[in-house]
Amino acid sequence: VVDAYGSERLEAIEVADRSSGKTARRDASALFMLIGADAETAWLPAEIASDADAYVLTGPAAAGRADWPLAREPLLLETTVPGIFAVGDVRAGSIKRVAAAVGEGSMAIAFVHQYLR
């Protein structure tokens, strides 16, 4: 989105095609902006697996991998390293919403207790 139009409310947006440089005006009455959607996980050790976009694999996405070292399946928010959990936007397949991240953080505490048992 390179421009927005409207006087009292949003009426249209201008979108640019990054590969061709061409722009097109589209009618729009609402716009949702997602800022900072790139995973910043380069600092994580290689043992914590991620997808092609650098989002951390957890739970079912981490299950069945050759690098999962335990007989049991990973817990829902558990990474490919047993006892290490990931929540929120950094997870592969997350819905990228603050409320979801907060809820996952609360869930992670229960999983930590389960893991420590």
Side-chain angles (χ1 to χ4, degrees):
V1 176
V2 295
D3 212 340
Y5 306 95
S7 54
E8 297 292 318
R9 62 176 183 79
L10 182 64
E11 296 172 8
I13 57 173
E14 188 86 14
V15 293
D17 181 326
R18 289 182 180 177
S19 59
S20 70
K22 294 180 181 180
T23 63
R25 188 173 174 150
R26 307 269 190 239
D27 291 340
S29 59
L31 178 64
F32 178 81
M33 296 176 70
L34 181 61
I35 299 170
D38 294 333
E40 298 292 341
T41 57
W43 60 274
L44 291 172
E47 294 82 11
I48 297 178
S50 59
D51 67 11
D53 295 317
Y55 290 96
V56 176
L57 301 178
T58 59
R65 293 178 48 93
D67 54 356
W68 176 252
L70 302 180
R72 69 164 173 82
E73 295 289 309
L75 299 171
L76 183 63
L77 300 173
E78 197 167 20
T79 68
T80 51
V81 176
I84 304 294
F85 300 87
V87 302
D89 294 4
V90 76
R91 282 190 331 101
S94 73
I95 61 169
K96 313 294 186 259
R97 301 292 182 272
V98 171
V102 170
E104 289 178 2
S106 297
M107 290 170 50
I109 298 301
F111 289 132
V112 167
H113 287 270
Q114 185 177 345
Y115 173 79
L116 292 174
R117 267 187 262 140

